[in-house]
Amino acid sequence: LLASACLLTLTACSMPNQNQQENKPKQNQSQSKAKEEEKVKTKTFSRSVSDDSVIKVKVYYQKDKITAFSFITEKEIPDEEKGKSRKELADIYQKDMESSPNFEAVHKTKGIESEVRISADKKIVHQSVTLDLNTIDIDEAAAAFGVTNQEDTVFERLKDKPEDFFEAIKEQGLKEE
């Protein structure tokens, strides 16, 4: 499910932006230093995909740059599995993630991390894939997710200002939390 949600979002954030502006790096050293010290903020967008499952995109950003983002699937753990330990549940859902056709390529890509967390009450599983844009090679990441043409995808929109990226996410039916 997480892989499907990721692929859908990766290839679907495709509405062309008519007012796209080019991000130009600042040459002034004092401005660069101030930028490095700028606090990273987050915004989370979500959409229910069924009665027991929600997909989320959590974006980490600074004033004019997206630094990372996570695809998260949260779903209820079925009653018949709640008798298992949190470790057993985590192993089950980790294997579920690993069964994705792109998992191996994604997992090997520098700057992409996956995680499975089970809530303390064993009601919800959180499966996430996070892309760290400070260390990732965007072309390699796109290829790992099976995206051959980055035009009109989330990978292309990463070059936009955060506000433009947020709009692209909203255009996919996700709402800001």
Side-chain angles (χ1 to χ4, degrees):
L1 182 60
L2 179 62
S4 298
C6 287
L7 194 53
L8 174 67
T9 306
L10 284 169
T11 58
C13 283
S14 63
M15 300 311 256
N17 184 357
Q18 303 300 333
N19 299 322
Q20 189 172 10
Q21 296 176 356
E22 192 176 317
N23 290 335
K24 295 190 178 179
K26 307 268 188 229
Q27 298 301 320
N28 188 320
Q29 222 174 10
S30 64
Q31 287 176 331
S32 293
K33 186 174 182 178
K35 227 179 234 207
E36 287 177 324
E37 294 173 6
E38 184 181 337
K39 189 172 182 169
V40 174
K41 301 173 192 170
T42 62
K43 279 194 182 194
T44 303
F45 302 85
S46 65
R47 178 176 74 188
S48 178
V49 290
S50 68
D51 289 342
D52 63 350
S53 185
V54 174
I55 59 168
K56 295 184 177 187
V57 176
K58 185 171 186 175
V59 182
Y60 303 83
Y61 66 100
Q62 293 174 321
K63 182 179 177 182
D64 62 350
K65 177 184 174 186
I66 299 166
T67 59
F69 67 99
S70 299
F71 293 106
I72 305 162
T73 299
E74 294 179 351
K75 59 184 172 182
E76 289 181 27
I77 296 173
D79 288 336
E80 59 271 11
E81 292 183 355
K82 290 181 181 172
K84 297 177 180 167
S85 72
R86 288 178 65 211
K87 176 160 180 14
E88 288 173 313
L89 290 169
D91 289 345
I92 289 168
Y93 288 99
Q94 181 66 37
K95 286 179 184 166
D96 176 55
M97 281 180 72
E98 291 172 5
S99 70
S100 164
N102 294 6
F103 179 81
E104 190 173 325
V106 169
H107 189 68
K108 288 181 181 178
T109 304
K110 182 180 177 182
I112 300 178
E113 298 293 327
S114 62
E115 178 183 37
V116 174
R117 288 184 300 118
I118 306 297
S119 63
D121 60 7
K122 297 193 283 187
K123 290 184 178 182
I124 305 288
V125 59
H126 305 263
Q127 295 171 299
S128 65
V129 175
T130 300
L131 288 81
D132 178 351
L133 302 177
N134 294 316
T135 59
I136 198 168
D137 177 280
I138 296 294
D139 294 333
E140 188 179 336
F145 281 103
V147 176
T148 55
N149 180 2
Q150 294 180 35
E151 187 176 330
D152 295 334
T153 68
V154 71
F155 293 105
E156 181 180 61
R157 300 304 297 264
L158 290 171
K159 300 170 191 163
D160 295 344
K161 292 195 176 278
E163 295 78 21
D164 298 329
F165 188 70
F166 301 152
E167 284 305 311
I169 292 171
K170 289 177 186 176
E171 288 168 358
Q172 302 309 311
L174 284 86
K175 297 188 184 327
E176 187 174 349
E177 291 186 347

Short mmCIF file of all heavy atoms in Angstrom, two decimals, residues 53-80:
data_model
loop_
_atom_site.label_atom_id
_atom_site.label_comp_id
_atom_site.label_asym_id
_atom_site.label_seq_id
_atom_site.Cartn_x
_atom_site.Cartn_y
_atom_site.Cartn_z
N SER A 53 -7.33 3.47 6.53
CA SER A 53 -6.01 3.81 6.02
C SER A 53 -5.95 5.27 5.56
O SER A 53 -6.86 5.76 4.91
CB SER A 53 -5.67 2.88 4.85
OG SER A 53 -4.37 3.11 4.40
N VAL A 54 -4.84 5.93 5.90
CA VAL A 54 -4.60 7.33 5.54
C VAL A 54 -3.20 7.43 4.95
O VAL A 54 -2.27 6.82 5.46
CB VAL A 54 -4.70 8.24 6.80
CG1 VAL A 54 -4.32 9.67 6.49
CG2 VAL A 54 -6.07 8.16 7.42
N ILE A 55 -3.07 8.21 3.87
CA ILE A 55 -1.74 8.52 3.37
C ILE A 55 -1.41 9.96 3.74
O ILE A 55 -2.29 10.82 3.78
CB ILE A 55 -1.58 8.29 1.85
CG1 ILE A 55 -2.55 9.15 1.04
CG2 ILE A 55 -1.70 6.84 1.49
CD1 ILE A 55 -2.24 9.17 -0.45
N LYS A 56 -0.14 10.18 4.02
CA LYS A 56 0.32 11.52 4.39
C LYS A 56 1.61 11.84 3.66
O LYS A 56 2.37 10.94 3.31
CB LYS A 56 0.59 11.59 5.90
CG LYS A 56 -0.63 11.42 6.76
CD LYS A 56 -0.30 11.59 8.23
CE LYS A 56 -1.55 11.49 9.08
NZ LYS A 56 -1.29 11.82 10.48
N VAL A 57 1.81 13.12 3.42
CA VAL A 57 3.08 13.62 2.93
C VAL A 57 3.52 14.69 3.92
O VAL A 57 2.81 15.67 4.14
CB VAL A 57 2.97 14.23 1.51
CG1 VAL A 57 4.31 14.82 1.08
CG2 VAL A 57 2.49 13.18 0.51
N LYS A 58 4.66 14.45 4.56
CA LYS A 58 5.21 15.42 5.51
C LYS A 58 6.40 16.08 4.83
O LYS A 58 7.33 15.41 4.38
CB LYS A 58 5.65 14.72 6.79
CG LYS A 58 6.11 15.68 7.87
CD LYS A 58 6.34 14.96 9.19
CE LYS A 58 6.64 15.95 10.29
NZ LYS A 58 6.75 15.27 11.59
N VAL A 59 6.34 17.41 4.72
CA VAL A 59 7.37 18.17 4.01
C VAL A 59 8.19 18.97 5.02
O VAL A 59 7.63 19.68 5.87
CB VAL A 59 6.72 19.14 2.99
CG1 VAL A 59 7.80 19.88 2.21
CG2 VAL A 59 5.80 18.38 2.04
N TYR A 60 9.51 18.84 4.93
CA TYR A 60 10.44 19.60 5.76
C TYR A 60 11.01 20.68 4.85
O TYR A 60 11.51 20.38 3.76
CB TYR A 60 11.57 18.71 6.26
CG TYR A 60 11.08 17.51 7.06
CD1 TYR A 60 10.64 16.35 6.43
CD2 TYR A 60 11.05 17.56 8.44
CE1 TYR A 60 10.18 15.27 7.15
CE2 TYR A 60 10.60 16.47 9.18
CZ TYR A 60 10.17 15.34 8.53
OH TYR A 60 9.70 14.26 9.26
N TYR A 61 10.94 21.93 5.29
CA TYR A 61 11.34 23.01 4.38
C TYR A 61 11.90 24.19 5.15
O TYR A 61 11.70 24.35 6.36
CB TYR A 61 10.16 23.46 3.53
CG TYR A 61 9.04 24.13 4.33
CD1 TYR A 61 8.92 25.52 4.36
CD2 TYR A 61 8.13 23.37 5.06
CE1 TYR A 61 7.93 26.13 5.09
CE2 TYR A 61 7.13 23.98 5.79
CZ TYR A 61 7.03 25.35 5.81
OH TYR A 61 6.05 25.96 6.55
N GLN A 62 12.62 25.03 4.41
CA GLN A 62 13.06 26.32 4.88
C GLN A 62 12.39 27.35 3.99
O GLN A 62 11.55 26.99 3.16
CB GLN A 62 14.59 26.41 4.82
CG GLN A 62 15.24 25.46 5.81
CD GLN A 62 16.75 25.42 5.69
OE1 GLN A 62 17.28 25.46 4.59
NE2 GLN A 62 17.42 25.33 6.83
N LYS A 63 12.73 28.59 4.13
CA LYS A 63 12.05 29.68 3.44
C LYS A 63 11.85 29.40 1.94
O LYS A 63 10.75 29.53 1.42
CB LYS A 63 12.82 30.98 3.64
CG LYS A 63 12.18 32.17 2.99
CD LYS A 63 12.98 33.43 3.26
CE LYS A 63 12.37 34.61 2.54
NZ LYS A 63 13.15 35.82 2.75
N ASP A 64 12.90 29.02 1.24
CA ASP A 64 12.78 28.86 -0.21
C ASP A 64 13.30 27.51 -0.70
O ASP A 64 13.64 27.35 -1.87
CB ASP A 64 13.51 29.99 -0.94
CG ASP A 64 15.00 30.02 -0.66
OD1 ASP A 64 15.45 29.28 0.24
OD2 ASP A 64 15.72 30.76 -1.35
N LYS A 65 13.33 26.51 0.19
CA LYS A 65 13.91 25.23 -0.18
C LYS A 65 13.24 24.09 0.58
O LYS A 65 13.01 24.18 1.79
CB LYS A 65 15.40 25.25 0.14
CG LYS A 65 16.12 23.97 -0.11
CD LYS A 65 17.57 24.08 0.33
CE LYS A 65 18.26 22.74 0.21
NZ LYS A 65 19.60 22.75 0.76
N ILE A 66 12.94 23.01 -0.13
CA ILE A 66 12.45 21.80 0.52
C ILE A 66 13.69 20.99 0.88
O ILE A 66 14.55 20.74 0.03
CB ILE A 66 11.53 21.01 -0.43
CG1 ILE A 66 10.32 21.87 -0.79
CG2 ILE A 66 11.10 19.69 0.20
CD1 ILE A 66 9.53 21.37 -1.96
N THR A 67 13.81 20.58 2.15
CA THR A 67 14.99 19.86 2.59
C THR A 67 14.76 18.35 2.64
O THR A 67 15.71 17.58 2.52
CB THR A 67 15.47 20.34 3.97
OG1 THR A 67 14.41 20.16 4.91
CG2 THR A 67 15.86 21.82 3.91
N ALA A 68 13.50 17.93 2.84
CA ALA A 68 13.17 16.50 2.88
C ALA A 68 11.66 16.36 2.81
O ALA A 68 10.93 17.32 3.03
CB ALA A 68 13.69 15.86 4.17
N PHE A 69 11.22 15.15 2.50
CA PHE A 69 9.80 14.86 2.63
C PHE A 69 9.60 13.38 2.84
O PHE A 69 10.45 12.56 2.48
CB PHE A 69 8.97 15.39 1.45
CG PHE A 69 9.22 14.73 0.13
CD1 PHE A 69 8.36 13.75 -0.34
CD2 PHE A 69 10.28 15.13 -0.65
CE1 PHE A 69 8.59 13.16 -1.57
CE2 PHE A 69 10.50 14.55 -1.89
CZ PHE A 69 9.65 13.55 -2.34
N SER A 70 8.49 13.05 3.50
CA SER A 70 8.17 11.66 3.83
C SER A 70 6.82 11.29 3.27
O SER A 70 5.88 12.08 3.35
CB SER A 70 8.12 11.47 5.36
OG SER A 70 9.36 11.75 5.95
N PHE A 71 6.74 10.08 2.73
CA PHE A 71 5.45 9.47 2.38
C PHE A 71 5.12 8.55 3.55
O PHE A 71 5.94 7.72 3.93
CB PHE A 71 5.56 8.63 1.12
CG PHE A 71 5.83 9.41 -0.12
CD1 PHE A 71 7.09 9.38 -0.71
CD2 PHE A 71 4.84 10.17 -0.71
CE1 PHE A 71 7.34 10.09 -1.86
CE2 PHE A 71 5.09 10.89 -1.85
CZ PHE A 71 6.33 10.84 -2.43
N ILE A 72 3.94 8.71 4.10
CA ILE A 72 3.56 7.93 5.28
C ILE A 72 2.21 7.28 5.01
O ILE A 72 1.29 7.93 4.53
CB ILE A 72 3.46 8.83 6.52
CG1 ILE A 72 4.76 9.61 6.74
CG2 ILE A 72 3.06 8.01 7.76
CD1 ILE A 72 4.63 10.80 7.65
N THR A 73 2.12 6.00 5.34
CA THR A 73 0.83 5.32 5.33
C THR A 73 0.55 4.92 6.76
O THR A 73 1.39 4.31 7.42
CB THR A 73 0.86 4.05 4.44
OG1 THR A 73 1.16 4.43 3.11
CG2 THR A 73 -0.48 3.35 4.46
N GLU A 74 -0.63 5.30 7.24
CA GLU A 74 -1.07 4.90 8.57
C GLU A 74 -2.31 4.04 8.38
O GLU A 74 -3.25 4.46 7.70
CB GLU A 74 -1.42 6.11 9.43
CG GLU A 74 -0.22 6.97 9.74
CD GLU A 74 -0.58 8.19 10.58
OE1 GLU A 74 -1.78 8.47 10.78
OE2 GLU A 74 0.35 8.87 11.03
N LYS A 75 -2.28 2.85 8.94
CA LYS A 75 -3.46 2.00 8.84
C LYS A 75 -3.69 1.25 10.13
O LYS A 75 -2.77 1.00 10.91
CB LYS A 75 -3.38 1.05 7.64
CG LYS A 75 -2.22 0.10 7.64
CD LYS A 75 -2.22 -0.70 6.34
CE LYS A 75 -0.94 -1.52 6.23
NZ LYS A 75 -0.88 -2.26 4.99
N GLU A 76 -4.96 0.93 10.34
CA GLU A 76 -5.34 0.19 11.54
C GLU A 76 -4.82 -1.24 11.43
O GLU A 76 -4.85 -1.85 10.37
CB GLU A 76 -6.86 0.16 11.70
CG GLU A 76 -7.45 1.49 12.08
CD GLU A 76 -8.97 1.42 12.26
OE1 GLU A 76 -9.50 0.33 12.58
OE2 GLU A 76 -9.60 2.45 12.06
N ILE A 77 -4.36 -1.74 12.56
CA ILE A 77 -3.92 -3.13 12.64
C ILE A 77 -5.16 -3.98 12.91
O ILE A 77 -5.94 -3.68 13.82
CB ILE A 77 -2.87 -3.31 13.76
CG1 ILE A 77 -1.62 -2.50 13.39
CG2 ILE A 77 -2.55 -4.79 13.96
CD1 ILE A 77 -0.57 -2.44 14.48
N PRO A 78 -5.38 -5.02 12.11
CA PRO A 78 -6.57 -5.87 12.31
C PRO A 78 -6.59 -6.49 13.71
O PRO A 78 -5.54 -6.80 14.28
CB PRO A 78 -6.41 -6.96 11.24
CG PRO A 78 -5.46 -6.40 10.23
CD PRO A 78 -4.57 -5.45 10.97
N ASP A 79 -7.79 -6.67 14.24
CA ASP A 79 -7.94 -7.22 15.59
C ASP A 79 -7.21 -8.54 15.77
O ASP A 79 -6.62 -8.79 16.82
CB ASP A 79 -9.43 -7.41 15.93
CG ASP A 79 -10.14 -6.08 16.16
OD1 ASP A 79 -9.45 -5.09 16.50
OD2 ASP A 79 -11.37 -6.03 15.98
N GLU A 80 -7.23 -9.39 14.74
CA GLU A 80 -6.59 -10.71 14.87
C GLU A 80 -5.07 -10.63 15.00
O GLU A 80 -4.43 -11.59 15.41
CB GLU A 80 -6.98 -11.64 13.71
CG GLU A 80 -6.64 -11.14 12.33
CD GLU A 80 -7.72 -10.29 11.68
OE1 GLU A 80 -8.69 -9.89 12.36
OE2 GLU A 80 -7.59 -10.00 10.48
#
